Amino acid sequence: MTATVFGLLGAALVGIGLFGLLARPEPLLRILAFNLLGGGVFLVFGAVARRGAAAGLAADPVPQAIVLTGIVVAFAATTLAVALVLRLAEAEDRP
Amino acid sequence: MPPDGATPWGFLPLLAVMLPVAGMVAALPLGARWAERLALALMPVGLLLALGTAVAVQAAGAPLWHALGHWAPPLGLALRADGLSAAMLLAAAVVIGATAVFARAQFGTPAGAPEARAAFAFWPLLLGIWGATNLALVANDLFTAYVALELLTFAAMPLVALDGRRETLAAALRYLMFALLGSVLYLLGAALLYGVAGTLDVVLLAGRVDGSLPVVVAAALMTAGLLAKTALLPLHLWLPPAHAGAPAAGSAVLSALVVKGSFVLLLRLWYGVLAGIPGPAAGQLLAALGAAAILLGSVAALAQPRLKLLVAYSTVAQIGYLFLMFPLMAAMPDTETAAKAWTGGILQAVSHALAKAAMFLAVGLMAARIGHDRLDGLAGAGRAAPVPLLTFGLAGLTLMGVPPSGGFAAKWLLLSAAIEGGQWWWALVILAGGLLTGGYVYRVLAAGLAGGGAGPPAPRAAAPEAIALGLAILSVLLGLVPLAAFGLVQVGRMDMLP
């Protein structure tokens, strides 16, 4: 039951993030939308982890490891994108 | 799957991944001067590892396989090098090695000179792209492949913006946005596949997925994500400004290798994980996009006023050829025709990698020699920069598909597979694309060979010119390799497994 709720929440986040990434032109908003989208994907992965319960485990550990790695990658991507936006703003300020 | 966790020589692909990654990490504290020396020292080692992998795969007639830490999938992660990986590993080692030697002129730190910031960034990034490409080629796990894709983007994006101008920063940001969208879609598809099968190992997945709805949705998401990274029309918008804005050595690696990493993963997905599942309509759709890329990309290249943009649009067109193999593989599965389409597609990837790297390096040399890269001011380039112009022409032969070039062999295989499979309309696209390619190559050669315009000949840059020419000659000679030798790329094709 809770897994379904988390899965649906993840789907909603993916929808919002995808819309933001495709429809908004502002770089900072698109970076935030990418983070929402990533968060949604991680929630879906978490809901998927519940299938390990069928094998007698409390939860499947592999998706958790994957989500952790994914969060690190998404964080790195965000910092890179923000650094790029800052450099771009600097370049535009220059005459 | 061998019981002891690895096939003989299974450590070769592992080393091929570890070597550049370790080099990248070591290069950061070393500084620009020693990073350059380290990168150049690693090139021959990496080439030997790629050669060794190819020989081992060919000799065994089976893929090399290595479970990391001897933990077998589904709990552990495995690396698997089949014929496709081996061929692309070799191409990557050659292109990266040539680019590194070429880049010494621009990013080298001569004795006594202070270390420049761009040089300090370039060498670790080059090693990073190499390591990520190799990982994408040998990853046998969809999540490892995701990490490889992200590493590839993170290493390639700064290369675009290396000169720090406003336009290149904007191009890099646009590239990053497309790439991030692509990788998130890919990851969402991987999550759904994990939910269906409980593993992300490519070999294990192949036996566990069927044509159910979650699998189809996952396949669509992952394919869309990988297409955005491969820059197939209509998701190509980021490519021309990014590849044209990077320094010559950067453009060469970006066009030759970075877009091929995601293409190889697409092949793994379609002909490994999902072997036999996507219907014929899906293949036709991909090829229709490819055909549109060939025609529109070539026409756009014809209309470009600047050399680098022309070459970048030519990449958009040549990527289209790669996707013609999808319906041809499906036309007559498990036959000689499918094998021809497979070999043709991979040969196109390899020969385009060599030719496009040569072309970008040649264009960079010409632009440096005459001070700009506008096509209308190219008159006299034949006298001021004869070797780069010759390099451009030779690489153009491969892109056009003129015998005996590698591009000819690739396009001939695709063409005959199209005829044999009864899909003649793709043959027409291949021929029309060749003519259009001839058009834009002729435009450059004609402009360059026109007399007058240029001042006194600039000082020669012998080593970079020889490197670019060598790559172009290699791309032409590729077509002289007897076709039987291309049996290498058939090794370990997963759609052929019983």
Side-chain angles (χ1 to χ4, degrees), chain A residues 14 18 21-22 27 30-31 34 37-38 40-42 44-45 48-49 51 60-63 65-67 69-70 73-74 76-78 80-81 84-85 87-88 91-92 94, chain B residues 74-75 117 143 146-147 150 153-154 157-158 161 163-167 169-170 172-174 176-178 180-181 183-185 187-188 190-192 194-198 200:
Chain A
V14 167
L18 202 56
L21 201 52
L22 295 179
R30 295 178 83 182
I31 294 170
F34 160 73
L37 183 49
V41 172
F42 298 143
V44 170
F45 239 129
V48 160
R51 53 168 280 131
D60 187 346
V62 174
I66 289 179
V67 167
T69 316
V73 171
T78 308
L80 255 181
L84 200 53
V85 170
R87 279 294 299 276
L88 192 58
E92 274 169 0
R94 256 182 268 140
Chain B
L75 195 56
R117 184 187 158 116
F143 190 71
Y146 165 77
V147 174
E150 289 290 48
T153 303
F154 295 170
M157 186 278 287
D163 65 358
R165 281 183 299 127
R166 208 177 72 81
E167 308 88 81
L169 285 169
L173 187 63
R174 189 195 252 203
L176 187 63
M177 286 301 165
F178 266 92
L180 288 181
L181 177 63
S183 49
V184 165
L185 291 181
L187 190 63
L188 185 56
L192 294 179
Y194 190 89
V196 171
L200 286 177

Side-chain angles (χ1 to χ4, degrees), chain B residues 14-450:
Chain B
L14 175 69
L15 286 181
V17 174
M18 279 178 60
L19 180 84
V21 173
M24 173 182 71
V25 174
L28 283 175
L30 284 178
R33 193 184 313 272
W34 281 97
E36 175 194 348
R37 291 181 188 171
L38 179 69
L40 288 168
L42 291 182
M43 296 302 156
V45 187
L47 186 60
L48 278 181
L49 285 174
L51 263 178
T53 308
V55 170
V57 169
Q58 179 81 306
L64 305 181
W65 194 83
H66 185 100
L68 294 178
H70 293 249
W71 289 88
L75 195 56
L77 303 171
L79 300 182
R80 179 176 176 277
D82 54 8
L84 165 62
S85 320
M88 293 302 294
L89 278 175
L90 260 179
V94 169
V95 169
I96 296 267
T99 312
V101 178
F102 177 91
R104 288 191 70 194
Q106 190 180 357
F107 297 109
T109 311
E115 296 187 347
R117 184 187 158 116
F120 174 64
F122 178 81
W123 297 103
L125 288 175
L126 187 68
L127 289 171
I129 287 183
W130 193 14
T133 308
N134 286 357
L135 183 59
L137 294 176
V138 301
N140 193 41
D141 179 281
L142 292 182
F143 190 71
T144 312
Y146 165 77
V147 174
L149 275 180
E150 289 290 48
L151 187 56
L152 201 52
T153 303
F154 295 170
M157 186 278 287
L159 214 48
V160 171
L162 208 53
D163 65 358
R165 281 183 299 127
R166 208 177 72 81
E167 308 88 81
T168 58
L169 285 169
L173 187 63
R174 189 195 252 203
Y175 170 35
L176 187 63
M177 286 301 165
F178 266 92
L180 288 181
L181 177 63
S183 49
V184 165
L185 291 181
Y186 175 90
L187 190 63
L188 185 56
L192 294 179
L193 277 186
Y194 190 89
V196 171
T199 180
L200 286 177
D201 186 81
V202 170
V203 177
L204 291 178
L205 267 176
R208 292 193 194 179
V209 297
D210 48 19
S212 62
L213 182 64
V215 174
V216 173
V217 173
L221 284 169
M222 295 173 89
T223 303
L226 291 171
L227 292 188
K229 291 219 172 209
T230 315
L232 178 66
L233 194 114
L235 299 170
H236 68 288
L237 293 171
W238 60 268
L239 189 145
H243 286 194
S251 310
V253 173
L254 291 173
S255 253
L257 298 179
V258 173
V259 289
K260 306 286 163 46
S262 41
F263 176 71
V264 168
L265 288 181
L266 194 64
L267 290 182
R268 294 251 183 274
L269 182 67
W270 275 56
Y271 300 108
V273 176
L274 303 167
I277 292 177
Q284 294 285 342
L285 176 66
L286 279 190
L289 292 177
I294 294 173
L295 301 176
L296 297 178
S298 299
V299 170
L302 268 173
Q304 289 311 310
R306 285 182 45 218
L307 266 178
K308 285 196 94 174
L309 273 172
L310 183 149
V311 182
Y313 272 102
S314 148
T315 297
V316 171
Q318 294 289 322
I319 284 169
Y321 282 103
L322 297 174
F323 288 87
L324 294 183
M325 67 188 279
F326 287 86
L328 305 179
M329 294 281 295
M332 300 166 86
D334 300 338
T335 60
E336 194 67 18
T337 309
K340 269 187 189 171
W342 179 261
T343 307
I346 294 167
L347 192 55
Q348 164 70 14
V350 172
S351 63
H352 174 253
L354 297 173
K356 193 47 65 76
M359 207 176 237
F360 261 122
L361 297 183
V363 165
L365 285 171
M366 274 194 261
R369 191 66 55 82
I370 54 182
H372 63 84
D373 73 337
R374 288 190 315 277
L375 214 57
D376 55 6
L378 209 59
R383 214 174 34 220
V387 180
L389 199 66
L390 174 67
T391 305
F392 189 96
L394 283 176
L397 288 185
T398 291
L399 297 188
M400 279 184 254
V402 173
S405 64
F408 164 72
K411 277 145 201 156
W412 177 252
L413 284 168
L414 288 171
L415 197 75
S416 50
I419 305 281
E420 284 169 25
Q423 304 193 12
W424 50 268
W425 48 93
W426 304 128
L428 290 185
V429 172
I430 294 173
L431 293 173
L435 282 179
L436 288 169
T437 311
Y440 62 72
V441 172
Y442 171 78
R443 249 187 98 208
V444 175
L445 292 182
L449 290 174

